[in-house]
């Protein structure tokens, strides 16, 4: 288990864990722009590959802090030349994710990482 100073939510909405812990929005929203790159036509349908641009809105690393970001930002970070190791995203893809009657996520069991994790 990793001990941290602070977990900072850099998404535009509160993150709630199944155990009731809540991470309110911090005011910093990490985002990544996507630029479509034309790759061809499939059965008459224009087809593109999205290329990730730079990540914006992410605070500088602070030793002992973890930053919650979206899965898209986490994925873009993993493709960076020097990926950060202090980022996590809500774990939305498992059976313990709680959803409301409309299918919206209410809470998650924990976080996911990409690559090595060092907080």
């Amino acid at each position: 288990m990793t001990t941290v100073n602070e977990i900072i939510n850099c998404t535009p909405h509160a993150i709630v864990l199944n155990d009731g812990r809540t991470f309110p929005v911090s005011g910093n929203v990490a985002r990544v722009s996507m630029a479509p790159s034309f790759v061809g036509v499939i059965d008459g349908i224009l087809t593109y590959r999205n290329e990730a641009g730079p990540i914006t809105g992410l605070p500088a690393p602070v030793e002992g802090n973890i930053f919650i970001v979206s899965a898209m930002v986490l994925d873009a970070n993993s493709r960076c030349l020097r990926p950060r190791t202090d980022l996590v995203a809500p774990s939305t893809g498992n059976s313990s994710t709680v959803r409301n009657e409309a299918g919206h996520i209410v809470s998650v069991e924990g976080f996911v990482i990409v690559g090595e994790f060092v907080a």
Side-chain angles (χ1 to χ4, degrees), residues 16-23 98 107-110:
V16 180
L17 299 184
N18 293 351
D19 68 7
R21 283 184 282 177
T22 300
F23 301 93
V98 177
S107 65
V108 297
E109 181 177 39

Side-chain angles (χ1 to χ4, degrees), residues 44-109:
I45 303 166
L46 300 177
T47 307
Y48 300 85
R49 174 182 297 115
N50 277 333
E51 304 287 342
I55 297 170
T56 60
L58 190 58
V62 174
E63 188 174 340
N65 285 3
I66 295 175
F67 298 91
I68 305 170
V69 298
S70 70
M72 183 180 278
V73 169
L74 187 66
D75 181 62
N77 175 69
S78 74
R79 298 170 196 278
C80 290
L81 189 58
R82 299 167 92 189
R84 289 180 55 168
T85 59
D86 58 349
L87 306 182
V88 299
S91 178
T92 60
N94 57 37
S95 61
S96 62
T97 299
V98 177
R99 295 178 183 271
N100 64 18
E101 53 282 343
H104 300 130
I105 294 173
V106 174
S107 65
V108 297
E109 181 177 39

